[in-house]
Amino acid sequence: MDEVRGRGRPRKDPERLARWTPPEGWSRLVAWVSPEEKKALKRVAVEAEVSVADLVRALAAGLAGGAITHEELVGHVRKGIQVMEKIPTLFERDGDFRVVDRPRAECAWVFDGEGTPTEKLDGTNVRLTTRAGRLVRVEKRRNPSKAQKQQGITDGWYVDTDEHGPEDKWILNAARNTDVAAWPDGEHACEALGPRIQGNPLQLDEYRCVPFNLEIPAYEEVPRSYRELRGYLAELESRYAPGSLAEGIVFHHPDGRRAKIKRKDFPKSA
């Protein structure tokens, strides 16, 4: 009878593992991960033909050796995902797509007084990549088409701008007119503003990109009820462009959640 080979990989062999001694100075790392994250780690490990432990060590070695930066690794978690995912509106909407006095359950934290209110800027969502204080890449937001939405694709993504495309002219003007010398290396989601962008509701005379993680103006003592917010936004002056009305408010929770409300979300009648 042919010898039956044991199943599994060497890492599953308890006797072999018991004989392995970590190098001096090494320490054990324990982390909780979701089922989806666990599957992703295993999938990549299988494709690379290494164990999950070797994969994690390779990642740590890459960070230690400077092959990748922490911004490249987790920047999309702190900024990219937060920016690209559709930000929920504070209240439910009626048939005319106006908000009604019925808070959305997922925004309950706002009504509990949590989160920092900041100005919602009315421009075009872009992403600037910087290295050593220099602009190296400009991307714009691409929203899913109607057909893609029917397929369940709801969140947008970033695509490169076209250096010679007339549709990207004003975005590129805004990017090049933005001083990024003091920005940290990484990808920065921004709002592109200027005379020829989105009708220029802030009445700006020049083009510029405002990074969500660095310069968005914050407000204090913002009301959080339906009636009070409607009155507040009707007269709220922009901190970024005094003399113009702010488009709305975005509430930022410390854990990354966000919620928004715009002046035009409310019905015109009282």
Side-chain angles (χ1 to χ4, degrees), residues 90-134:
L90 287 179
F91 303 98
E92 300 288 354
R93 296 182 183 274
D94 60 17
D96 296 323
F97 210 62
R98 301 296 183 184
V99 293
V100 296
D101 191 2
R102 189 167 65 250
R104 295 185 66 171
E106 63 191 289
C107 301
W109 54 273
V110 175
F111 303 103
D112 290 336
E114 300 178 34
T116 301
T118 65
E119 180 176 349
K120 186 180 188 306
L121 298 174
D122 191 1
T124 295
N125 184 212
V126 298
R127 185 167 67 181
L128 308 186
T129 300
T130 58
R131 292 289 185 275
R134 293 182 178 275

Side-chain angles (χ1 to χ4, degrees), residues 48-107:
E49 298 184 348
V50 297
S51 67
V52 171
D54 286 338
L55 176 64
V56 173
R57 281 197 294 268
L59 178 59
L63 288 168
I68 56 175
T69 68
H70 71 280
E71 287 293 342
E72 292 172 322
L73 181 62
V74 301
H76 73 286
V77 176
R78 287 202 308 268
K79 297 175 294 218
I81 287 179
Q82 295 171 12
V83 170
M84 293 308 293
E85 285 183 347
K86 188 174 174 118
I87 304 173
T89 296
L90 287 179
F91 303 98
E92 300 288 354
R93 296 182 183 274
D94 60 17
D96 296 323
F97 210 62
R98 301 296 183 184
V99 293
V100 296
D101 191 2
R102 189 167 65 250
R104 295 185 66 171
E106 63 191 289
C107 301

Side-chain angles (χ1 to χ4, degrees), residues 3 41 90 132 155 175-176 180 193 195 203 239 241:
E3 181 181 356
L41 284 171
L90 287 179
D155 296 331
R176 291 164 183 158
V180 301
L193 308 169
Q203 303 298 308
R239 292 280 181 85

